[in-house]
Amino acid sequence: MREGQPSQTAIMAAAARAAHLVVDREPFIFHDTVAAALLGEHAEQIIGFHRAYGDHLILSGVRAQVTARSHYTERRLAELTRDGLEQYVVLGAGLDTFAYRADPAGRVAVFEVDHPATQQWKRELLAAAGIPLPEALTFAPADLETGDLGSGLAAAGFDPSRPSLVSWLGVSMYLTPEAIAATLAAVGGFAPGTNWSWSTPCRPPSATSAAPPSRSSPFPRPPSGANPG
């Protein structure tokens, strides 16, 4: 996230989940019924772009990527909570909406980890959309590039001695190798029985020339070697 600006990757991922229900045909991969409302003023332009150019390689690919990874992660979370798992950690949460859709109270404690500025921006979007903060949700501010993940989670009430599911979706390709190693080391110290859901998309060679179909696209180009997450 650039200082003082909304997270463009978070906006793109949320817009792809929302647009999936508008552009693609049933059966849907994933039902995110909150993303459009959370996007607020960003929703009409970006979802409209998906509606107009939804078959384009990049747009259809982003929708497939973000819905498939979210479907897998939340399905795995449901399986684990049935077996007694009580903690869910979302690294680089961005505009993730699980806690606001699934009513996790009494089943699982959700810890959203992200840059403090991103979390403040998300709080403002939630307030503007009239979406309440669930009791089971805790924001754990931490900069994965420079901060201490373990300390940030501990301060938020996370118990590393109890198994968890940790999701890390579309984030690591924006971090340095040192930050990735530090994150892996921190999660490696969590309790036995902890599960990962980690997606690290790679840009196919053809995508370097598959430019968005219009110069008016609201989608920024991703960094070299990375897809929008």
Side-chain angles (χ1 to χ4, degrees):
M1 179 175 181
R2 295 180 180 177
E3 194 66 32
Q5 297 184 24
S7 169
Q8 294 300 312
T9 55
I11 290 173
M12 287 190 293
R17 297 193 307 270
H20 175 55
L21 300 178
V22 175
V23 176
D24 299 315
R25 293 187 295 271
E26 296 188 38
F28 297 120
I29 298 171
F30 187 71
H31 289 77
D32 190 334
T33 55
V34 173
L38 182 58
L39 284 166
E41 65 182 13
H42 302 285
E44 182 175 353
Q45 179 191 17
I46 304 180
I47 295 174
F49 201 77
H50 275 274
R51 188 182 289 110
Y53 303 105
D55 290 336
H56 188 272
L57 172 64
I58 289 181
L59 298 183
S60 60
V62 169
R63 291 197 308 278
Q65 179 193 123
V66 300
T67 54
R69 73 193 187 194
S70 294
H71 171 89
Y72 171 80
T73 301
E74 293 193 16
R75 184 183 68 184
R76 183 63 178 143
L77 178 62
E79 295 168 350
L80 292 168
T81 54
R82 284 196 295 268
D83 293 336
L85 182 133
E86 298 177 344
Q87 297 184 124
Y88 178 39
V89 178
V90 188
L91 299 181
L95 297 181
D96 185 89
T97 64
F98 168 77
Y100 316 94
R101 287 181 284 105
D103 189 21
R107 295 186 294 114
V108 62
V110 181
F111 297 88
E112 290 193 2
V113 179
D114 215 328
H115 191 284
T118 300
Q119 292 191 334
Q120 179 57 39
W121 167 65
K122 183 175 186 176
R123 286 176 181 270
E124 293 169 0
L125 291 178
L126 288 165
I131 300 171
L133 298 180
E135 292 184 8
L137 170 69
T138 302
F139 288 103
D143 186 339
L144 294 178
E145 186 60 54
T146 61
D148 184 335
L149 173 60
S151 296
L153 279 169
F158 174 78
D159 184 353
S161 69
R162 294 160 52 203
S164 309
L165 174 63
V166 179
S167 75
W168 200 15
L169 306 180
V171 177
S172 58
M173 68 276 201
Y174 296 108
L175 300 175
T176 61
E178 293 78 14
I180 293 171
T183 302
L184 292 173
V187 176
F190 292 177
T194 292
N195 279 245
W196 270 105
S197 181
W198 179 8
S199 78
T200 306
C202 297
R203 189 193 324 196
S206 61
T208 58
S209 59
S214 168
R215 290 179 182 236
S216 63
S217 168
F219 295 89
R221 290 184 178 274
S224 176
N227 276 337

